[in-house]
């Protein structure tokens, strides 16, 4: 036994008792589990590291790193060490790489995979060095004494990252000597480890007080302070104190110790209040971080849980939690100080009229970007009260683009994130606010009250959508954007192209959030039961409808990132049943499942989370029922006409030209499901009226009824009440929607929401459906009548009759 082997054997049990680790394998590494042709690259020559890595890799199904690799009778090392503090070790690694590449050149069938292994004890980022001090807390080879203390205090919190492998077959086929290729491989590995440490632990931290003083001395803030003193007629010292006060209000105070404690607390907490957290797209963000990108997470906003859940998931994906832009309303004791140490920085609802605050905040945000801290903000600005995405607030996106114009060196990527829940604890509060109750101010008592009613919230869903590479996006949207880059420290001027470009980027973020949406047991059951008459279904009908939804969405997926559960209808119902949201009654015939009163209204929130994915299939079903027998081209024409209305209201990512392919795929699937009968030559007929398939088609169609009814109300008013002022159109639309809701039992809060109706009217205007005459009133285009007639066929006769009579009565009353 070698001396090194002797020390490993001696340390085996102490290290085993004192250490605990989490292992994250990249997807490509997970695919080579069981393959023996694997070698590892590590930074540290530490025996302790090797013992921990040995346990982790063996438990993951990868080869034991302490066992040599045999290739064609030649014995080669399984681990190469790139320890820059040990010149001999680094040179040995180069020699081993040369031997491996040479073996590949001799054996064309050989393909050894090189897997970088990173070990992180406690994941401390370390502190930036101050004058007279040398910070070594994050050095990979800290020395025996420091390693002892790391083992004692951080041994229970080790992260092991097995990155994507490099295939030596590809390296061997490149031109050049084995020595040159070996040096190239070593150089790539060193760069990878530097980036990996940055991704896992983040950049070195600077004391909060130092950050504030450094920012106050930046040219942009000095100029803003001088402007403030001049405009407010105060001294520059007073203006500087005001700027310092703003920075104290804004700045985070990140603590990796608190993050580690929160990790343990949240692991315990999630296990109690959630059945699990389903994560999609984690590999995406790891790849971005390891490629050296500045990552900006842009999630949707459902609940105060979002802050905690997303940071927890990112941390569990082996990455440093982001600095989070949180509303200043959350800066109350004791939550505020905890949030700050967890990475939150606070932002006011509005900067309007306060140029100094605006400059202070932009400088702080730009510093985060320049230093390489991942950042998170909610583009909706606040939590959605209806379950739909809110129109984006573009201020933070604009400041992110402006950060690029400050000479950001690292590539920057916006990562849309969909957050979904089977239970949102604030839904009851949202409904009260939608009915007119004032929003309660956040306080410690509100938190305690929420925790008092803590319960099992089912599953949580976190989906990382397709990233937007900001540089590449700007190249497409504004090819000359680099001309606006300012290389100095001063704040750049706001280019004319910024606002329209930011608006397009914000829309893309919302589209990609929705592309990553997740179906779950609660939102699917809510969709089915809320579409039924009197909000009640038999168990057999519900299970059958759930199977239909999931089958359609698997065969004709909304997007490649959308998540559809693998469970069948019965399993989904059993999962949803556990939440006590549904009333289950049994009689001599079977079980009846229904929603009562306020619960039915609350369940619209969960249904709305996925409405963008179901609206086109539902409208197509309504079209089929309205025509009984129809041509595919007619359905495509109507849905193409409705496309801009749907896109602006529900943030559907599909283009108008995609409708032909989408509708044809759905029609084919409806035929396979028995909902439609293919009559040949592009003609379709609905299933027989007394069949189960016909009932399923009706339920599917009713999912779109509220949307179609809103469209019918506005279009009917445009025709019958013209000329009409926009304010009157909005007011009358709200009145008619409220009346329709009362008569036909539409309980969705957004049905008569003025903002939703205003968005619809704005889209009709931008699409040229009406013109504005000299009096400022609107006159309908001839297309309004055509579209109105087509939409009317999507409605049930009783509803259509109510709309027409109500519009007629209102118009007569006005005249």
């Amino acid at each position: 036994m070698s001396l090194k082997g002797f020390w490993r054997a001696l340390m085996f049990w102490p290290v085993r008792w004192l250490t605990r680790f989490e292992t994250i394998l990249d997807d490509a590494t997970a695919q080579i589990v069981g393959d023996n042709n694997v070698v590892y690259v590590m930074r540290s020559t530490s025996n302790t590291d090797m013992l921990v890595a040995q346990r982790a890799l063996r438990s993951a199904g990868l080869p034991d790193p302490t066992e040599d690799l045999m290739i064609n009778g030649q014995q080669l090392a399984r681990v190469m060490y790139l320890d820059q503090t040990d010149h001999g070790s680094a040179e040995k690694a180069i020699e081993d790489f040369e031997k491996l590449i040479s073996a590949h050149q001799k054996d064309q069938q050989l393909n050894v995979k090189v897997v970088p292994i990173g070990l992180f004890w406690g994941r401390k980022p370390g502190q930036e060095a101050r004058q007279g001090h040398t910070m070594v807390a994050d050095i990979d080879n800290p020395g025996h004494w420091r390693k002892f203390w790391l083992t004692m205090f951080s041994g229970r919190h080790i992260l092991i990252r097995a990155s994507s492998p490099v295939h030596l077959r590809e390296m061997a086929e490149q031109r050049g000597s084995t020595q040159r290729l070996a040096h190239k491989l070593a150089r790539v590995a060193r760069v990878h480890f530097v980036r990996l440490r940055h991704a896992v632990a983040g950049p070195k931290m600077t004391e909060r007080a130092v950050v504030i003083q450094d920012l106050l001395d930046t040219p942009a803030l000095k100029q803003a302070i001088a402007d403030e003193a001049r405009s407010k007629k105060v001294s520059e010292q007073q203006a500087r104190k005001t700027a310092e006060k703003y920075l104290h209000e804004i700045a985070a105070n990140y603590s990796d110790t608190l993050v580690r404690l929160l990790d343990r607390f949240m692991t315990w907490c999630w296990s109690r209040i959630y059945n699990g957290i389903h994560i999609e797209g984690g590999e995406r963000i790891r790849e971005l971080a390891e490629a050296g990108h500045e990552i900006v997470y842009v999630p949707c906003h459902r609940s105060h849980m979002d802050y905690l859940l997303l940071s927890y998931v990112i941390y569990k994906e082996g990455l440093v939690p982001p600095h989070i832009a949180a509303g200043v309303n959350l800066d109350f004791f004791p939550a505020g100080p905890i949030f700050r140490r967890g990475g939150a920085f606070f932002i006011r609802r509005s900067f309007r009229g306060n140029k100094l605050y605006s400059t202070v905040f932009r400088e702080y945000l730009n510093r985060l970007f320049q230093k390489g801290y991942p950042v998170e903000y909610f583009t909706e600005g606040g939590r959605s009260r209806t379950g739909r995405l809110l129109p984006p607030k573009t201020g933070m996106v604009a400041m992110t683009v402006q950060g690029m114009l400050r000479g950001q060196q690292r590539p920057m990527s916006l990562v849309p994130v969909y957050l979904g829940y089977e239970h949102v604890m604030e839904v009851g509060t949202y409904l009260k606010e939608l009915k007119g109750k004032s929003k309660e101010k956040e306080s410690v008592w509100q938190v305690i009250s929420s925790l008092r009613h803590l319960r099992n919230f089912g599953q949580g869903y976190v989906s990382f959508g397709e990233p937007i590479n900001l540089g590449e996006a700007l190249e497409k949207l504004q090819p000359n954007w680099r001309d606006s880059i300012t290389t100095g420290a001063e704040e750049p001027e706001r280019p004319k192209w910024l606002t329209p470009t930011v608006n397009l980027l914000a829309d893309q973020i919302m589209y990609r959030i929705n592309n990553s949406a997740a179906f779950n047991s609660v939102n699917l059951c809510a969709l089915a039961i809320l579409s039924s008459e009197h909000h009640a279904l038999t168990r057999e009908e519900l299970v059958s409808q759930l199977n239909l939804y999931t089958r359609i969405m698997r065969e004709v997926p909304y997007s490649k990132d959308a998540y559809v559960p693998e469970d069948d209808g019965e399993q989904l119902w059993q999962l949803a049943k556990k939440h006590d949201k549904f009333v289950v009654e049994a009689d001599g015939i079977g079980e009846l499942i229904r929603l009562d009163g306020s619960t039915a209204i609350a369940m619209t929130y969960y249904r709305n989370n996925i409405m963008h994915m179901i609206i086109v299939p539902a409208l197509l079903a309504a079209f089929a029922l309205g025509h009984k027998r129809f041509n595919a081209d007619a359905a495509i024409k109507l849905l193409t006409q409705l496309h801009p209305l749907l896109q602006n209201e529900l943030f559907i990512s599909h283009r108008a030209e995609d409708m032909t392919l989408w509708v044809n795929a759905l029609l084919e699937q409806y035929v396979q499901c028995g909902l439609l009968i293919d009559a040949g030559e592009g003609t379709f007929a609905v299933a027989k009226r007394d069949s189960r398939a016909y009932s399923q088609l009706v339920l599917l169609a009713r999912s779109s009824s509220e949307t179609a009814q809103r469209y019918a109300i506005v279009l009917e008013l445009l025709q019958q009440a013209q000329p009409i002022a926009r304010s009157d159109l909005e007011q009358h639309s709200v009145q008619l929607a409220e009346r329709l809701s009362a008569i036909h039992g539409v309980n969705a809060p957004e049905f008569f929401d003025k903002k939703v109706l205003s968005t619809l009217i704005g889209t009709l205007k931008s699409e040229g459906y009406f013109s504005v005459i000299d009096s400022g009133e609107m006159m309908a285009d001839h297309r309004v009548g055509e579209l109105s007639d087509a939409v009317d066929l999507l409605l049930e006769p009783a509803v259509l009759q109510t709309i027409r009579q109500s519009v007629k009565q209102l118009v007569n009353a006005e005249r």
Side-chain angles (χ1 to χ4, degrees), residues 551-572:
R551 179 177 175 181
I552 290 172
M553 287 302 159
R554 288 192 196 106
E555 298 300 322
V556 188
Y558 175 80
S559 75
K560 60 183 176 63
D561 295 324
Y563 171 72
V564 182
E566 296 179 359
D567 306 279
D568 62 24
E570 180 61 34
Q571 291 170 319
L572 288 170

Side-chain angles (χ1 to χ4, degrees), residues 436-467:
K437 183 180 178 181
S438 298
K439 179 178 179 293
E440 292 183 21
K441 184 178 180 181
E442 281 78 3
S443 67
V444 64
W445 306 113
Q446 192 181 46
V447 173
I448 292 172
S449 177
S450 297
L451 292 176
R452 192 159 47 89
H453 300 292
L454 206 59
R455 49 171 288 180
N456 188 284
F457 292 166
Q459 280 243 320
Y461 296 83
V462 180
S463 297
F464 298 97
E466 184 180 358

Side-chain angles (χ1 to χ4, degrees), residues 32 131 152 183 270 348 379 422 451 463 477 628 633 638 708 749 764 806:
I32 63 170
Q131 189 173 4
M152 295 299 294
H183 278 280
W270 295 141
R348 295 182 179 181
T379 50
E422 289 184 326
L451 292 176
S463 297
L477 297 172
K628 305 304 180 186
D633 291 340
L638 176 59
L764 288 170
S806 299

Side-chain angles (χ1 to χ4, degrees), residues 585-771:
E585 297 174 341
D587 54 24
I589 302 174
E591 284 187 347
L592 187 69
I593 301 160
R594 60 183 175 84
L595 290 167
D596 283 338
S598 60
T599 305
I601 300 173
M603 292 302 286
T604 63
Y605 186 94
Y606 303 99
R607 177 201 62 185
N608 288 346
N609 289 174
I610 57 170
M611 184 52 68
H612 64 283
M613 293 198 285
I614 205 71
I615 189 65
V616 170
L619 284 169
L620 180 58
F623 182 90
L625 289 169
H627 292 77
K628 305 304 180 186
R629 190 180 183 91
F630 63 96
N631 186 276
D633 291 340
I636 292 168
K637 179 183 177 182
L638 176 59
L639 285 166
T640 302
Q641 285 179 295
L642 294 177
H643 172 268
L645 309 183
L646 298 171
Q647 187 169 62
N648 287 344
E649 179 183 340
L650 295 171
F651 295 103
I652 291 174
S653 61
H654 300 71
R655 301 170 301 170
E657 49 266 38
D658 296 333
M659 279 297 174
T660 299
L661 182 62
W662 194 1
V663 171
N664 282 329
L666 285 170
L667 289 172
E668 182 180 337
Q669 186 59 35
Y670 288 0
V671 171
Q672 292 180 14
C673 293
L675 307 179
L676 297 178
I677 299 168
D678 189 346
E681 298 182 356
T683 302
F684 299 87
V686 299
K688 292 182 180 181
R689 195 176 183 88
D690 59 352
S691 65
R692 168 63 64 85
Y694 183 86
S695 300
Q696 289 183 304
L697 188 66
V698 170
L699 271 181
L700 179 57
R702 283 181 179 163
S703 302
S704 66
S705 61
E706 292 164 19
T707 300
Q709 288 167 28
R710 268 196 312 274
Y711 293 174
I713 288 170
V714 174
L715 293 169
E716 192 72 22
L717 276 170
L718 271 174
Q719 284 187 96
Q720 305 301 330
Q722 61 178 320
I724 183 172
R726 177 163 180 168
S727 59
D728 290 339
L729 179 59
E730 290 180 358
Q731 181 183 347
H732 294 338
S733 297
V734 171
Q735 288 174 341
L736 289 171
E738 289 175 340
R739 180 170 185 164
L740 201 67
S741 175
I743 294 173
H744 295 281
V746 180
N747 291 323
E750 76 281 356
F751 180 65
F752 42 81
D753 186 349
K754 186 176 180 179
K755 291 180 181 179
V756 174
L757 289 162
S758 180
T759 298
L760 170 58
I761 294 167
T763 306
L764 288 170
K765 179 182 177 181
S766 64
E767 293 295 313
Y769 278 93
F770 57 80
S771 57

